Amino acid sequence: MLGVTCRECHHLISGTKYTAVPKLAAAASVSLRSFSTKNTQLVWGLYPPENTRAIKVGSKRTRVANVRLQHSQHSSSVSEEETERFSQLAKNWWDTKGSMKALHSMNKLRVPFIRDNLLLQGHGNSHTSKPLSGVSILEVGCGAGILSEPLSRLGASVVGLDSSKEVLTVAKSHRGNDTELEDLQYLDFWLEDIVALGTLKFDCVIASEVIEHVNNPEDFIKMCTNVLKPGGSLFVSTINQTQISYLLGIFVAEKILNIVPKGTHDWNKFVTPTEVNGFLANANCHMRKMIGMRYNPLQDKWTWSSDKDINYIFHATKQLEDEALDEENLEAVNV
Amino acid sequence: MLTLRSELSKCLQTRLCRRIPTKGISASSEKRQFISDDAGKGERVYDVIIAGGGMIGGAMACALGKSSYMQGKRILLLEGGQRKSTDILFSPPNFYSNRVCAISPGNMKFLKNLTAWEKIPRFGTVRKMQVWDACSDGMIMFNEPNMSEDLCAIVENDMIIASLTDVLNTQLQGQVEVMYESKISGCITPRNYALDDTTTAIPPVTINLKDGPELKTRLLVAADGVNSFIAQKALLSKMKWDYDQSAVVATLELHEEIENHVAWQRFLPTGPIALLPLTSQRSSLVWSTTHEHAMELLSMSDEEFVSAINNAFWQEHHSSAIVKYVQDYATRLFSSNVYNAKQYPPCISSVSGKRASFPLGFSHAIKYVKPRLAVIGDAIHRVHPLAGQGANLGFRDVECLLRVIEKAVYGGEDIGSLNHLLEYESERQLGNFPMSVSIDLLKRLYSTDFSPIVALRCLGLMACNSIPSVKEQFMAQAMK
């Protein structure tokens, strides 16, 4: 059960429709109310401080209980089977010549993409040693932190989520005690949990090479945008559902060249840009930029491509509170 | 708290000294201890430590200090010698130091960007170069049309170091820490490319100072010269051999005041003798010759020394019949321009200051980088002074490494990661290796008076002199 000690209970409660007991709350950790979403049942509970820990995102602090959430229903964001498969790969995740090498080399494209588009949105300071300082990022499906670590080094406050405990352990071990990665936290929560918390909102949510592994991509996008601040950025990189993506992305990559381990990808779960546009529209988001990426397995190198037939990455922003969604805003800006 | 800290530092120590793959991964609590400089053990973790405060190390420190992408990062420069005074920049001494280097226009621009050029009070400019053979009439001349552009500048090494020190003292005080009289007694670097256990980040480099604290850094840049201690410790393999030559250096006074913008180099059978312009009445001598002859030159009187130099440039040597034949053939083959007629260098009247000599050799590192270690300057390449490229290659290394580090840091990468260090290595190997090998080849070619070789090189030299495109290629390479 997810609990909250209410040092900031006034702050937490404001904006929701639940009753509070401020007097008691001020004195001790107090149970407040129950709250449920479509997928999860949560009860705010009473927890002594030693069973809780702090999550700090940017300047904001929240305490959560060290208790695993009980999920009553199937999650839209986590597939048990996929989690199991990735847990097997945990030990070699950081081997840059191992089975995750394509993800390591993809950083050369996706880190600048994320950095520059966040700078364009007005966050951070360009051309400094910490261009993303002051930006809070949630990386869903962070794995062992291949993308989280660079973003944290760039000054962002990063929270990484992954469903696999083994992989997260590797992530924490690799992060170690590096002072450069002070503001990098890993939580073995599901995205549903962060949504349910209700008050933890981020400047940026990233789901790189994740959406093709979830059970329900539309719900997933909805949840991602739920935890975004208004005007916040969503970055998603994934694989298109085309004939060539089957040929190259699955057949050649998995069965012939062993670029990724067999069974990593399921073609039926790939998402097309059109579907993505639909999901974003339903989630009240503007598509800002979408570009294709091409992988050269011989050189282990990624390059930008105007062709989104296999891999592509996009940047969308959540609408601002007072903004109306018109037709023209819905047009995807294709690069 | 204390026990947790000591646990962690013990753990780190084990990882550094012996690479034991950790069996299970301990469940880490959210309360993390960070390595900071108040760890109470005198441990200080830097982002970059540059070992060696000479021209190249100093330039690296200034370049990193001035980079906007490195703001807030901890940079340390370790120099074994004492802090050099910057007085010579403001009141230069009468005499010129006998150790000079040739700085190409590209590197001049680089130093200007570091604001380390303006303060240099004096330097010679070369607008034309004449290189000729003693054993034949082979000759080559380099110059821009109408002597319009400078080919290179001749600067005293001390001036460059003082200028860089000045930049560090006045502009980069908060940004770059400098420790003088710090001799490195030990250095532990992560050795393998792929550690057995990739679940932890590559541990930092540990440096032990002779009388100082233990330092840790994410990236170690070794600029500690030809006999690099760090390169040895890191088991960086090199190709190296000694030349049976020493270079004798001195500052010379010219017989009369002239417009001194020509660099002269004559290949004698014992080795090349070069005269590099400093002022209208002074030039710098770099005479590469056999060890015995070098000893003689150092011990003879000033008058004898001066006449030895003049003879070396002016004396006609006997050329064999084969050579004469090839020369005539070549002269007919390549139409020679009138203005390219051989000229003679100015006469020397006296020596000013001390003479010195140092042995010459060749070395080239096979690898320039290891995880968390990058080596620059003479530590990776040592060349013969005949082409005046030693310092230039070093500055090019600095410029390349700076660019690579900036790009990596701006991309959020671990600054000591091999990924981008390998990019630096590839780029610089392409720049350094052909140049080093060519210089070595030239040295060997000109170290003999065996007639067929002399004939061949005469032909080659005359060919290069006559074919503009070939000459331009050489100049472009040297002026980078």
Side-chain angles (χ1 to χ4, degrees), chain A residues 115 127 129 153 173-174 178, chain B residues 33 69 71 199 218 410 412:
Chain A
R115 173 198 76 210
H127 300 293
S129 66
R153 282 199 193 94
S173 157
H174 196 267
D178 200 338
Chain B
Q33 294 296 313
Y69 300 101
Q71 286 301 310
T199 58
R218 296 194 174 96
Y410 203 48

Side-chain angles (χ1 to χ4, degrees), chain A residues 245-266:
Chain A
S245 76
Y246 180 79
L247 183 66
L248 294 180
I250 297 187
F251 190 66
V252 173
E254 290 182 16
K255 296 177 184 148
I256 298 186
L257 292 180
N258 280 328
I259 299 169
V260 285
K262 281 196 179 46
T264 303
H265 289 127
D266 174 4

